[in-house]
Amino acid sequence: MGNVFVVMKPVLHGIMKAIGMTSELVEIEPGTTMHFWVPTDQTVHTTKPAVVFLHGFVANGIMTWLFQMFSLRTSFAVYVPDLLFFGDSISDRPERSTSFQAHCLAKGMMKLGVEKFSLVGLSYGGMVGFKLAQLYPHMVDSMVMSSTVVELTESISNASLNNIGFTTWDEFLLPKTIFDLKLLLSIGSQNFPWFPQILYMDFLEVMFGNRKEKVELLKAFIVSDKDATPPKYTQRIYLLYGDDDKIFNQTVSDIMKAKLGENTTVEYIKRAGHLVQLERPRTYNRCLKKFLSCSSGYGNM
């Protein structure tokens, strides 16, 4: 692990402990384990609405959602998993589909004693979240989806890759050099902040392991146009995007809203790209809290 991240890890765990969050490994089945950040108080989901945050392809849960964990933890029971082959989540199973990720996530939440929650998904995590809501509709109360699509069809995939100047997703999402990483982050944001070179080096080393499995994940999430059948969702859906998303632009999100129907609203945050939750965290969190507070209908669980 990179030197900076080696130093940061115990500090980060200490901060999480101070705000009432703890790290937990959950065995989904023999050979498959998912890592979660969960409330230290295991009963908090009985008094506060539970929210599950699903990260994108470039980082693990805590690196993606740190600002949101800090902001929402007082009003909600926050759960932040690492999807399989990210962070400390592993599996010896050969499945790579979003369905398999969704099944494992549902089992993990049930083992944590949480069977009703809202979902917040970013990019790849949004695709997993949509699949989870389709397969386990009784578990998902509402959804906030950012910088994502219901499923990545061949036509959307080809158009998006053409927009950003790449031919394959692994070429874009699995950088091998610091130059590649900087290009990825510059495309993913409107104005990504400057970082020292050593941080890029460590990020490249720590966040892009399990390359073989991740290439397989990328191949598995593309759906042929003829097989694309967007399900009808009963949950309220809030699409929250940056207005300068270069990967899934407003044309894509507007078409998706129309297909999802009347339970879906869309909002665009100005001066933000694909990584909207990191670029404009205060605005993003304000929108997030407003929607989740209005849509959480839990009662006794």
Side-chain angles (χ1 to χ4, degrees), residues 122-149:
L122 177 79
S123 197
Y124 176 66
M127 298 176 210
V128 173
F130 274 122
K131 184 60 67 172
L132 178 63
Q134 177 190 355
L135 296 173
Y136 298 89
H138 60 285
M139 297 186 75
V140 179
D141 190 66
S142 62
M143 293 183 275
V144 180
M145 296 302 185
S146 295
S147 314
T148 192
V149 290

Side-chain angles (χ1 to χ4, degrees), residues 79-95:
Y79 295 82
V80 183
D82 291 334
L83 296 172
L84 292 173
F85 308 112
F86 296 86
D88 294 322
S89 295
I90 58 170
S91 178
D92 60 7
R93 293 278 295 272
E95 290 91 341

Side-chain angles (χ1 to χ4, degrees), residues 185-196:
L185 295 174
S186 68
I187 292 172
S189 59
Q190 189 179 82
N191 290 295
F192 201 79
W194 176 88
F195 286 119

Side-chain angles (χ1 to χ4, degrees), residues 173-223:
L173 291 172
L174 293 173
K176 295 179 180 178
T177 67
I178 291 175
F179 175 84
D180 295 338
L181 175 58
K182 288 181 176 180
L183 180 59
L184 165 62
L185 295 174
S186 68
I187 292 172
S189 59
Q190 189 179 82
N191 290 295
F192 201 79
W194 176 88
F195 286 119
Q197 194 82 343
I198 189 173
L199 196 58
Y200 283 109
M201 293 171 60
D202 283 6
F203 190 89
L204 194 64
E205 180 181 343
V206 173
M207 294 297 163
F208 297 98
N210 297 322
R211 284 180 175 266
K212 174 181 176 294
E213 291 82 2
K214 286 179 179 175
V215 169
E216 293 166 354
L217 289 176
L218 290 170
K219 290 179 180 177
F221 76 2
I222 298 176
V223 179

Side-chain angles (χ1 to χ4, degrees), residues 54 97-99 102 119 121-135 143-157 160 220-225 227-241 247-249 251-261 263-265 274:
L54 303 180
S97 66
T98 54
S99 295
L119 275 176
L122 177 79
S123 197
Y124 176 66
M127 298 176 210
V128 173
F130 274 122
K131 184 60 67 172
L132 178 63
Q134 177 190 355
L135 296 173
M143 293 183 275
V144 180
M145 296 302 185
S146 295
S147 314
T148 192
V149 290
V150 175
E151 52 189 359
L152 190 64
T153 62
E154 289 176 334
S155 56
I156 294 175
S157 175
S160 297
F221 76 2
I222 298 176
V223 179
S224 68
D225 288 328
D227 293 333
T229 52
K232 298 293 183 182
Y233 294 101
T234 57
Q235 301 92 343
R236 286 186 63 198
I237 303 171
Y238 183 35
L239 304 178
L240 187 56
Y241 286 66
I247 300 169
F248 299 127
N249 58 31
T251 300
V252 172
S253 51
D254 285 344
I255 291 173
M256 187 167 70
K257 178 193 178 303
K259 289 183 177 180
L260 287 170
N263 285 338
T264 303
T265 57
H274 193 75

